[in-house]
Amino acid sequence: MGILAFIILGLVSGALIKVLMPGLVSGGWPTSLALGVLGALLGGWLGSALLGAGLGTFFEPQTWLLAVIGAGVLVLAYGAVKGHPPTTRR
């Protein structure tokens, strides 16, 4: 899968993370989207390294799932480094 596909995956993942984890990323939408792109790259790399078989195509569910998981991990790490505890929705 190409870098453009990971950028698109990351933007969607960043938007999902912003909705699912409100208040955790203090930089707003631009920071969430950037973390989403980096998370998609991280998820793709980890998925390829751990699964060994690669991720598949752009439209396969495991590709999207790994991108969202990678973005979530990066957002949690970002929140831990910045000192923002995870918030819950009320």
Side-chain angles (χ1 to χ4, degrees), residues 3 14 20 24 29 31-32 34 37-39 46 48 51 67 74 78 80-82 88 90:
I3 190 75
L20 295 174
L24 189 59
W29 281 99
T31 304
S32 294
V37 171
L38 293 174
L46 285 176
S48 294
L51 299 175
L74 270 184
Y78 176 82
V81 168
K82 290 295 240 178
T88 58
R90 295 179 190 217

mmCIF file of all heavy atoms in Angstrom, residues 3 14 20 24 29 31-32 34 37-39 46 48 51 67 74 78 80-82 88 90:
data_model
loop_
_atom_site.group_PDB
_atom_site.id
_atom_site.type_symbol
_atom_site.label_atom_id
_atom_site.label_comp_id
_atom_site.label_asym_id
_atom_site.label_seq_id
_atom_site.Cartn_x
_atom_site.Cartn_y
_atom_site.Cartn_z
ATOM 1 N N ILE A 3 2.095 5.369 0.266
ATOM 2 C CA ILE A 3 2.116 6.388 1.317
ATOM 3 C C ILE A 3 0.851 7.243 1.288
ATOM 4 O O ILE A 3 0.345 7.648 2.334
ATOM 5 C CB ILE A 3 3.404 7.247 1.228
ATOM 6 C CG1 ILE A 3 3.547 8.135 2.466
ATOM 7 C CG2 ILE A 3 3.405 8.104 -0.009
ATOM 8 C CD1 ILE A 3 3.980 7.405 3.669
ATOM 9 N N GLY A 14 -7.339 9.773 12.595
ATOM 10 C CA GLY A 14 -7.202 10.923 13.484
ATOM 11 C C GLY A 14 -8.538 11.562 13.809
ATOM 12 O O GLY A 14 -8.795 11.961 14.949
ATOM 13 N N LEU A 20 -13.668 9.854 19.393
ATOM 14 C CA LEU A 20 -13.743 8.817 20.418
ATOM 15 C C LEU A 20 -13.034 9.183 21.717
ATOM 16 O O LEU A 20 -13.400 8.696 22.784
ATOM 17 C CB LEU A 20 -13.166 7.505 19.878
ATOM 18 C CG LEU A 20 -13.920 6.859 18.724
ATOM 19 C CD1 LEU A 20 -13.168 5.656 18.201
ATOM 20 C CD2 LEU A 20 -15.327 6.475 19.154
ATOM 21 N N LEU A 24 -8.318 14.639 24.890
ATOM 22 C CA LEU A 24 -7.023 14.031 25.176
ATOM 23 C C LEU A 24 -5.900 14.720 24.418
ATOM 24 O O LEU A 24 -4.791 14.838 24.906
ATOM 25 C CB LEU A 24 -7.050 12.540 24.842
ATOM 26 C CG LEU A 24 -5.847 11.734 25.270
ATOM 27 C CD1 LEU A 24 -5.665 11.820 26.779
ATOM 28 C CD2 LEU A 24 -5.999 10.290 24.864
ATOM 29 N N TRP A 29 -7.678 19.825 16.209
ATOM 30 C CA TRP A 29 -7.792 18.968 15.029
ATOM 31 C C TRP A 29 -6.481 18.759 14.293
ATOM 32 O O TRP A 29 -6.192 17.629 13.882
ATOM 33 C CB TRP A 29 -8.856 19.522 14.084
ATOM 34 C CG TRP A 29 -10.237 19.183 14.538
ATOM 35 C CD1 TRP A 29 -11.100 19.983 15.228
ATOM 36 C CD2 TRP A 29 -10.901 17.931 14.386
ATOM 37 N NE1 TRP A 29 -12.261 19.317 15.504
ATOM 38 C CE2 TRP A 29 -12.168 18.051 14.985
ATOM 39 C CE3 TRP A 29 -10.556 16.723 13.797
ATOM 40 C CZ2 TRP A 29 -13.077 17.012 15.005
ATOM 41 C CZ3 TRP A 29 -11.468 15.688 13.814
ATOM 42 C CH2 TRP A 29 -12.716 15.830 14.416
ATOM 43 N N THR A 31 -3.409 18.587 15.335
ATOM 44 C CA THR A 31 -2.584 17.633 16.065
ATOM 45 C C THR A 31 -3.195 16.240 15.996
ATOM 46 O O THR A 31 -2.483 15.251 15.818
ATOM 47 C CB THR A 31 -2.422 18.067 17.529
ATOM 48 O OG1 THR A 31 -1.890 19.384 17.557
ATOM 49 C CG2 THR A 31 -1.499 17.145 18.284
ATOM 50 N N SER A 32 -4.515 16.135 16.122
ATOM 51 C CA SER A 32 -5.183 14.837 16.041
ATOM 52 C C SER A 32 -4.973 14.198 14.675
ATOM 53 O O SER A 32 -4.716 12.994 14.573
ATOM 54 C CB SER A 32 -6.680 14.986 16.296
ATOM 55 O OG SER A 32 -6.916 15.382 17.606
ATOM 56 N N ALA A 34 -2.507 14.819 12.542
ATOM 57 C CA ALA A 34 -1.094 14.454 12.397
ATOM 58 C C ALA A 34 -0.792 13.167 13.165
ATOM 59 O O ALA A 34 -0.097 12.276 12.665
ATOM 60 C CB ALA A 34 -0.202 15.589 12.884
ATOM 61 N N VAL A 37 -2.134 10.220 11.169
ATOM 62 C CA VAL A 37 -1.272 9.804 10.055
ATOM 63 C C VAL A 37 -0.079 9.017 10.586
ATOM 64 O O VAL A 37 0.253 7.942 10.072
ATOM 65 C CB VAL A 37 -0.822 11.023 9.223
ATOM 66 C CG1 VAL A 37 0.229 10.633 8.208
ATOM 67 C CG2 VAL A 37 -2.012 11.661 8.522
ATOM 68 N N LEU A 38 0.561 9.528 11.621
ATOM 69 C CA LEU A 38 1.691 8.805 12.213
ATOM 70 C C LEU A 38 1.243 7.469 12.808
ATOM 71 O O LEU A 38 1.954 6.473 12.718
ATOM 72 C CB LEU A 38 2.370 9.665 13.280
ATOM 73 C CG LEU A 38 3.088 10.910 12.768
ATOM 74 C CD1 LEU A 38 3.585 11.752 13.938
ATOM 75 C CD2 LEU A 38 4.221 10.529 11.845
ATOM 76 N N GLY A 39 0.049 7.453 13.399
ATOM 77 C CA GLY A 39 -0.484 6.218 13.954
ATOM 78 C C GLY A 39 -0.801 5.185 12.885
ATOM 79 O O GLY A 39 -0.609 3.986 13.086
ATOM 80 N N LEU A 46 3.745 -2.051 12.387
ATOM 81 C CA LEU A 46 3.618 -3.093 13.400
ATOM 82 C C LEU A 46 2.821 -4.287 12.880
ATOM 83 O O LEU A 46 3.156 -5.433 13.167
ATOM 84 C CB LEU A 46 2.962 -2.541 14.665
ATOM 85 C CG LEU A 46 3.834 -1.668 15.545
ATOM 86 C CD1 LEU A 46 3.020 -1.108 16.702
ATOM 87 C CD2 LEU A 46 5.033 -2.430 16.055
ATOM 88 N N SER A 48 2.603 -5.300 9.788
ATOM 89 C CA SER A 48 3.459 -6.060 8.873
ATOM 90 C C SER A 48 4.517 -6.839 9.635
ATOM 91 O O SER A 48 4.824 -7.981 9.296
ATOM 92 C CB SER A 48 4.142 -5.113 7.886
ATOM 93 O OG SER A 48 3.199 -4.519 7.040
ATOM 94 N N LEU A 51 2.374 -9.566 11.968
ATOM 95 C CA LEU A 51 1.597 -10.541 11.206
ATOM 96 C C LEU A 51 2.435 -11.217 10.134
ATOM 97 O O LEU A 51 2.142 -12.328 9.731
ATOM 98 C CB LEU A 51 0.366 -9.878 10.580
ATOM 99 C CG LEU A 51 -0.626 -9.264 11.566
ATOM 100 C CD1 LEU A 51 -1.735 -8.543 10.822
ATOM 101 C CD2 LEU A 51 -1.196 -10.318 12.483
ATOM 102 N N ALA A 67 -4.831 0.825 11.526
ATOM 103 C CA ALA A 67 -4.588 2.268 11.474
ATOM 104 C C ALA A 67 -5.217 2.967 12.676
ATOM 105 O O ALA A 67 -4.593 3.828 13.302
ATOM 106 C CB ALA A 67 -5.133 2.851 10.177
ATOM 107 N N LEU A 74 -0.793 6.079 19.705
ATOM 108 C CA LEU A 74 -0.019 7.329 19.676
ATOM 109 C C LEU A 74 -0.705 8.450 20.447
ATOM 110 O O LEU A 74 -0.035 9.236 21.124
ATOM 111 C CB LEU A 74 0.221 7.775 18.233
ATOM 112 C CG LEU A 74 1.474 7.251 17.583
ATOM 113 C CD1 LEU A 74 1.641 7.835 16.191
ATOM 114 C CD2 LEU A 74 2.701 7.543 18.395
ATOM 115 N N TYR A 78 0.854 10.344 23.510
ATOM 116 C CA TYR A 78 0.936 11.805 23.462
ATOM 117 C C TYR A 78 0.311 12.410 24.720
ATOM 118 O O TYR A 78 0.865 13.316 25.335
ATOM 119 C CB TYR A 78 0.226 12.324 22.209
ATOM 120 C CG TYR A 78 0.167 13.826 22.102
ATOM 121 C CD1 TYR A 78 1.248 14.547 21.614
ATOM 122 C CD2 TYR A 78 -0.980 14.525 22.460
ATOM 123 C CE1 TYR A 78 1.195 15.921 21.500
ATOM 124 C CE2 TYR A 78 -1.040 15.892 22.354
ATOM 125 C CZ TYR A 78 0.043 16.598 21.872
ATOM 126 O OH TYR A 78 -0.012 17.960 21.767
ATOM 127 N N ALA A 80 -0.034 10.969 27.601
ATOM 128 C CA ALA A 80 0.796 10.643 28.765
ATOM 129 C C ALA A 80 2.010 11.565 28.844
ATOM 130 O O ALA A 80 2.388 12.018 29.928
ATOM 131 C CB ALA A 80 1.249 9.190 28.705
ATOM 132 N N VAL A 81 2.601 11.847 27.711
ATOM 133 C CA VAL A 81 3.773 12.725 27.688
ATOM 134 C C VAL A 81 3.380 14.156 28.024
ATOM 135 O O VAL A 81 4.076 14.843 28.774
ATOM 136 C CB VAL A 81 4.476 12.653 26.309
ATOM 137 C CG1 VAL A 81 5.508 13.751 26.160
ATOM 138 C CG2 VAL A 81 5.111 11.296 26.114
ATOM 139 N N LYS A 82 2.249 14.603 27.495
ATOM 140 C CA LYS A 82 1.795 15.972 27.744
ATOM 141 C C LYS A 82 1.137 16.136 29.105
ATOM 142 O O LYS A 82 0.872 17.242 29.532
ATOM 143 C CB LYS A 82 0.806 16.408 26.661
ATOM 144 C CG LYS A 82 1.443 16.618 25.315
ATOM 145 C CD LYS A 82 2.405 17.753 25.369
ATOM 146 C CE LYS A 82 1.975 18.812 24.407
ATOM 147 N NZ LYS A 82 2.818 19.967 24.418
ATOM 148 N N THR A 88 -13.338 10.642 30.119
ATOM 149 C CA THR A 88 -14.492 9.838 29.733
ATOM 150 C C THR A 88 -15.606 10.778 29.346
ATOM 151 O O THR A 88 -15.730 11.895 29.858
ATOM 152 C CB THR A 88 -14.937 8.930 30.883
ATOM 153 O OG1 THR A 88 -15.240 9.739 32.025
ATOM 154 C CG2 THR A 88 -13.863 7.931 31.241
ATOM 155 N N ARG A 90 -19.347 12.139 29.294
ATOM 156 C CA ARG A 90 -20.455 12.178 30.257
ATOM 157 C C ARG A 90 -21.716 12.490 29.539
ATOM 158 O O ARG A 90 -21.811 13.117 28.605
ATOM 159 C CB ARG A 90 -20.193 13.226 31.313
ATOM 160 C CG ARG A 90 -19.001 12.869 32.144
ATOM 161 C CD ARG A 90 -18.758 13.927 33.161
ATOM 162 N NE ARG A 90 -17.483 13.673 33.781
ATOM 163 C CZ ARG A 90 -17.245 13.873 35.026
ATOM 164 N NH1 ARG A 90 -18.194 14.332 35.804
ATOM 165 N NH2 ARG A 90 -16.088 13.634 35.535
#
